[in-house]
C-alpha cells in the first residue's frame, strides 16, 4: 500500500512532476485513455491533478470555446468528447489542456487533464473520487488524506 499523502503538505505554488502511476479513464466500459507516462500537479489542499499525454487518449476530441485561467499554469483550453456508446451525447468542458503553459509548467504543454466524471478514472487500478465541488479537477484516492479544498466553505482557503 502506498504511503499516505497529506494535501496540506503539498506546496504552493504547485509542484509538477512525472508520475509512474498507471492511469486509466473508462466510459461505458470502453477505454478512453491509458498511460504510465503522465504528470501530476500537487498543490496545497488539493488532491493530485493528472495530465495525460495526447497520445494516450483513444477517442477524438473537439475544441470548446470555453476558457479559464490558472494563476500558476496560465490559460486553459477546454475539449469536448462524444460518448462512445452514444455518439449524439457530447460532454463539454470536462477535459482541459494548456497550449502555452507558464514558466515551470512547460512540460505539460498540450497534455490533457480530465475531471473525474462522467467517466470512471483509475489510478493504479483504484477508482478515484472527484475533488469536491465542480471547479477543481483533482482525483481523490485512498492514499490522499487531509481536508480538501472545493466543497462548501472552502473557497477562501
Amino acid at each position: 500500500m502506498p504511503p499516505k499523502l497529506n494535501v496540506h503538505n503539498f506546496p504552493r505554488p504547485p509542484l509538477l512532476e512525472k508520475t509512474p502511476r498507471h492511469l486509466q479513464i473508462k466510459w461505458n466500459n470502453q477505454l478512453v485513455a491509458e498511460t504510465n507516462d503522465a504528470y501530476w500537479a500537487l498543490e496545497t489542499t488539493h488532491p493530485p491533478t493528472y495530465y495525460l499525454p495526447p497520445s494516450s487518449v483513444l477517442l477524438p476530441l473537439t475544441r470548446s470555446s470555453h476558457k479559464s485561467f490558472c494563476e500558476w499554469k496560465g490559460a486553459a483550453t477546454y475539449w469536448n468528447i462524444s460518448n462512445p456508446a452514444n455518439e449524439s451525447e457530447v460532454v463539454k468542458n470536462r477535459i482541459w489542456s494548456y497550449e502555452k503553459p507558464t514558466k515551470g509548467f512547460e512540460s505539460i504543454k498540450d497534455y490533457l487533464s480530465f475531471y473525474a466524471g462522467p467517466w470512471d478514472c483509475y489510478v493504479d487500478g483504484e477508482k478515484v473520487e472527484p475533488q469536491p465541488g465542480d471547479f477543481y479537477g483533482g482525483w481523490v484516492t485512498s492514499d490522499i488524506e487531509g481536508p480538501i479544498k472545493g466543497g462548501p466553505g472552502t473557497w477562501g482557503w
Side-chain angles (χ1 to χ4, degrees), residues 46-88:
H46 296 267
T49 303
Y50 292 92
Y51 293 88
L52 289 71
S55 61
S56 71
V57 180
L58 306 174
L59 297 176
L61 304 176
T62 56
R63 183 185 301 269
S64 168
S65 61
H66 183 70
K67 302 277 183 195
S68 69
F69 186 81
C70 171
E71 66 181 308
W72 308 114
K73 297 175 221 81
T77 299
Y78 286 77
W79 300 91
N80 303 331
I81 189 170
S82 294
N83 182 336
N86 178 2
E87 294 285 324
S88 66

Side-chain angles (χ1 to χ4, degrees), residues 8-82:
H8 289 266
N9 293 334
F10 292 167
R12 186 167 172 88
L15 170 69
L16 180 71
E17 64 183 10
K18 279 282 200 179
T19 178
R21 301 187 89 174
H22 182 221
L23 307 179
Q24 292 181 306
I25 299 167
K26 296 178 182 179
W27 198 5
N28 297 314
N29 295 316
Q30 181 173 337
L31 194 61
V32 173
E34 182 172 29
T35 190
N36 287 81
D37 189 32
Y39 286 88
W40 66 0
L42 305 177
E43 180 179 355
T44 304
T45 71
H46 296 267
T49 303
Y50 292 92
Y51 293 88
L52 289 71
S55 61
S56 71
V57 180
L58 306 174
L59 297 176
L61 304 176
T62 56
R63 183 185 301 269
S64 168
S65 61
H66 183 70
K67 302 277 183 195
S68 69
F69 186 81
C70 171
E71 66 181 308
W72 308 114
K73 297 175 221 81
T77 299
Y78 286 77
W79 300 91
N80 303 331
I81 189 170
S82 294

Side-chain angles (χ1 to χ4, degrees), residues 118-136:
W119 33 75
D120 297 321
C121 301
Y122 298 86
V123 175
D124 294 333
E126 178 186 349
K127 185 177 176 185
V128 309
E129 294 295 325
Q131 182 170 0
D134 197 40
F135 183 74
Y136 301 108

Side-chain angles (χ1 to χ4, degrees), residues 80-132:
N80 303 331
I81 189 170
S82 294
N83 182 336
N86 178 2
E87 294 285 324
S88 66
E89 179 189 349
V90 177
V91 173
K92 298 179 178 184
N93 306 324
R94 302 291 292 169
I95 304 166
W96 75 96
S97 65
Y98 296 95
E99 294 175 312
K100 295 178 183 176
T102 56
K103 185 177 180 184
F105 294 92
E106 300 92 344
S107 53
I108 59 167
K109 179 184 183 321
D110 298 327
Y111 273 54
L112 297 153
S113 192
F114 288 69
Y115 282 94
W119 33 75
D120 297 321
C121 301
Y122 298 86
V123 175
D124 294 333
E126 178 186 349
K127 185 177 176 185
V128 309
E129 294 295 325
Q131 182 170 0

